[in-house]
Amino acid sequence: MRRLNRKKTLNLMKELDAFPKVPESYVETSASGGTVSLIAFTTIAFLTIMEFMVYRDTWMKYEYEVDKDFTSKLRINIDITVAMRCQYVGADVLDLAETMVASADGLIYEPVVFDLSPQQKEWQRVLQLIQSKLQEEHSLQDVIFKSAFKRASTALPPREDNSLQSPDACRIHGHLYVNKVAGNFHITVGKAIPHPRGHAHLAALVSHETYNFSHRIDHLSFGELIPGIINPLDGTEKIASDHNQMFQYFITVVPTKLHTYKISAETHQFSVTERERVINHAAGSHGVSGIFMKYDISSLMVTVTEEHMPFWQFLVRLCGIIGGIFSTTGILHGFGRFVAEIIFCRFRLGSCRSTSVTLPDGNRSNHLPLMTDNSTH
């Protein structure tokens, strides 16, 4: 009974076979079929490798929503070197709420030499080259997002040569926490002092001949500090052509949530517009000499997520490649063989045309004789 059920089951499975086997005696091989098969296998191998490379790659997905967080503080990461001594300059932040954040809350004034060492100049040259490429190819920002991780470093390398030159500049670095409203971070002459109507700087005791707001921005970012991320102003260097000169940077900050396979953080992207001019009250160019970074917070928040092709989708695409190539090459081979047979058959018909034969009664026949006198002997 069990053998009978097993035999019925096997017969049923054979009837459901959608891939019947053709006997080898019925299979005919040809040189053209082998050539087409070789081309098909080569194409399948090439496209499979390309598809696997696409499967290994990832892409960045951007989503936008309204930023509803207005109560938290915004962190500003600063690393700027000004070509003036530290006792002559002061940095602080004043926002639209007339809240003043002094540099003493998180910034360090370090006397340094303004000129860079050869290693530092090479670092700055490479960074400026990357910045120029980022302005031309915006898709490179995705590469930076994917390559960023906590142990990467994009900071200016320390000076290795022991320079005997006395410090002639001031490196202002550290971070400040400000309100999430528009504000103005500036570096100007004199230390900042609080004032009932705002703030002021003690610039009266500093001579105009010592003014030199040539500066280098080694790093400027907003939000959580993520090493490996290159910001728009990193590596910027400006040389003042006059003692009384104003450098202005108008910055639009966009809150950004970054989720990649290496890091997950809340940071901020920003765009910047630069302007510089000489202060000359006689010519109508009014203002205060210094470096002014006026920032504004966007109401939109961007969520950047790194995505990967699912494995099932990779299998579906792979099956489509293999099946599609086999079907296409089979159709093309059959069509080509059909055309070749028509052409060769036409040539054969032309070579096998009948010749006229004279009959004994004087008539002519256009058919080939089945047997001639010579064939009988």
Side-chain angles (χ1 to χ4, degrees), residues 59 73 114 139 146 160 211 222 227 255 257 274-276 285 359 375:
W59 62 89
K73 294 288 185 178
F114 187 76
S139 59
K146 289 189 287 186
E160 295 182 353
Y211 286 14
F222 296 83
K257 290 183 178 179
E274 305 175 12
R275 183 188 178 191
E276 59 182 82
S285 178
L359 298 177
S375 62

Side-chain angles (χ1 to χ4, degrees), residues 199-212:
H199 75 297
H201 289 260
L202 294 174
L205 302 178
V206 182
S207 174
H208 284 275
E209 285 72 18
T210 61
Y211 286 14
N212 184 5

Side-chain angles (χ1 to χ4, degrees), residues 78-149:
I78 302 163
D79 192 351
I80 302 175
T81 302
V82 186
M84 291 181 64
R85 297 184 182 274
C86 292
Q87 60 267 28
Y88 297 152
V89 294
D92 62 335
V93 178
L94 185 66
D95 58 27
L96 289 182
E98 297 185 355
T99 301
M100 176 182 171
V101 179
S103 59
D105 295 339
L107 296 183
I108 301 173
Y109 292 78
E110 179 184 351
V112 294
V113 177
F114 187 76
D115 293 332
L116 298 175
S117 65
Q119 181 185 5
Q120 292 174 332
K121 288 182 179 179
E122 180 64 20
W123 173 87
Q124 187 185 32
R125 186 190 67 82
V126 174
L127 189 57
Q128 290 176 348
L129 179 62
I130 295 175
Q131 293 286 18
S132 62
K133 293 297 183 181
L134 284 173
Q135 294 177 1
E136 298 174 0
E137 301 288 341
H138 298 288
S139 59
L140 292 179
Q141 187 65 37
D142 293 352
V143 179
I144 293 178
F145 280 152
K146 289 189 287 186
S147 62
F149 57 99

Side-chain angles (χ1 to χ4, degrees), residues 123-124 127-128 131 216-219 231-237:
W123 173 87
Q124 187 185 32
L127 189 57
Q128 290 176 348
Q131 293 286 18
R216 182 177 59 255
I217 304 176
D218 297 326
H219 180 78
N231 297 278
L233 287 176
D234 293 354
T236 301
E237 185 176 77

